[in-house]
């Protein structure tokens, strides 16, 4: 069974957490897109919700499938957010006291808006396929930076033990520019032992808008597997 099918399976399970009248955070990326389309099917059957998109991509998909969209400042809160992840750490030692696994997000460059919406949600449901599960986070950490701060932020990332690389666009010449008009540095720290400390250090660098380490935010992680959907248990 291919990864797209497993993602769709997890996304379809995640939308079961959405109730009539909910405000729903709509994550970005291929797995979140599957959940948005599944939500659209429920809206077509009469579900009354509002969606808060985290990117231009998720907004366009939501509008295409008939989900009414609003900005975060137009609602009192977010009942549930559904989002994907690039990596989910499964080692119990990496989890928060509440059992939430740390995540790396930002492969699509939308992690700043995703983190804002995900943190505002009463419940964050992460949907992934098994390839996203790792014992400890070791992927490069996306760091969104103000263009004028690119060089100084890169120096600070090296001081923290990372090796930053400016993310280049694949369909155009030049670097990737985020929905917020900023640049992305992908910082390779190798295996990350202390996710919370690194997250704090990255957040304190002048010129950094947001980084891709998500600590103590995920309430549930749903993993699409060939025999169904597993709710990941950490700790």
């Amino acid at each position: 069974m291919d990864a797209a099918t497993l993602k769709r399976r997890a996304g379809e399970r995640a939308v079961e957490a959405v109730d009539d009248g909910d405000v729903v955070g709509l994550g970005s990326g291929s797995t979140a897109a599957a959940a948005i389309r599944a939500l659209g099917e429920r809206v077509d059957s009469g579900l009354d919700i509002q969606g808060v998109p985290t990117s231009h991509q998720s907004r366009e998909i939501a509008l295409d499938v008939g989900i009414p969209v609003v900005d975060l400042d137009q609602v009192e809160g977010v009942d549930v957010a559904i989002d994907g992840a690039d990596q989910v750490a499964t080692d119990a030692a990496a989890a928060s006291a509440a059992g939430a696994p740390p995540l790396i997000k930002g492969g699509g460059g939308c992690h700043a808006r995703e983190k804002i919406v995900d943190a505002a949600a009463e419940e964050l449901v992460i949907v992934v396929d098994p390839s996203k599960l790792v014992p400890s986070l070791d992927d490069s950490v996306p760091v969104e930076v103000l263009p004028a701060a690119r060089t100084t932020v890169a120096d600070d990332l090296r001081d923290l033990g990372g090796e930053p690389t400016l993310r280049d666009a694949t369909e155009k010449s030049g670097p990737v520019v985020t929905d917020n008009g900023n640049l992305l540095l992908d910082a390779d720290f190798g295996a990350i032992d202390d996710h919370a400390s690194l997250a704090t250090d990255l957040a304190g660098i002048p010129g950094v808008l947001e980084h891709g380490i998500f600590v103590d935010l995920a309430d549930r992680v749903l993993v699409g597997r060939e025999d169904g959907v597993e709710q990941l248990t950490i700790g």
Side-chain angles (χ1 to χ4, degrees), residues 80-93:
V80 57
I82 301 172
D83 212 341
D86 299 312
Q87 282 192 330
V88 178
T90 60
D91 190 332

Side-chain angles (χ1 to χ4, degrees), residues 1-19:
M1 191 174 293
D2 61 22
T5 300
L6 299 178
K7 292 175 183 179
R8 184 175 67 251
R9 178 172 287 178
E12 290 171 349
R13 173 67 64 82
V15 303
E16 295 176 5
V18 178
D19 295 322

Side-chain angles (χ1 to χ4, degrees), residues 51 74 105 117 121-122 174 203 207 223:
Q74 294 177 293
K105 292 176 52 57
V117 173
E122 293 185 15
V223 185

Side-chain angles (χ1 to χ4, degrees), residues 110 171 228 231:
C110 305
E171 301 296 330
Q231 179 165 317

Side-chain angles (χ1 to χ4, degrees), residues 115-174:
K115 189 175 286 188
I116 291 169
V117 173
D118 292 352
E122 293 185 15
E123 181 181 25
L124 171 59
V125 182
I126 296 294
V127 289
V128 294
D129 67 83
S131 70
K132 308 300 185 183
L133 304 180
V134 294
S136 183
L137 302 181
D138 59 5
D139 208 353
S140 293
V141 179
V143 181
E144 182 169 349
V145 303
L146 299 175
R150 167 191 165 186
T151 302
T152 57
V153 170
D155 288 341
D156 287 337
L157 292 173
R158 293 187 187 96
D159 289 342
L160 291 176
E163 184 53 49
T165 302
L166 180 67
R167 189 182 300 184
D168 285 326
T170 57
E171 301 296 330
K172 61 177 280 295
S173 299

Side-chain angles (χ1 to χ4, degrees), residues 23-59:
V23 175
V24 185
L26 306 176
S28 302
S30 58
T31 310
I36 295 172
R37 293 188 177 97
L39 269 177
E41 293 177 3
R42 291 192 61 192
V43 168
D44 191 52
S45 299
L47 181 70
D48 179 23
I49 62 171
Q50 293 177 297
V52 179
T54 56
S55 64
H56 294 320
Q57 177 212 38
S58 58
R59 178 183 178 86

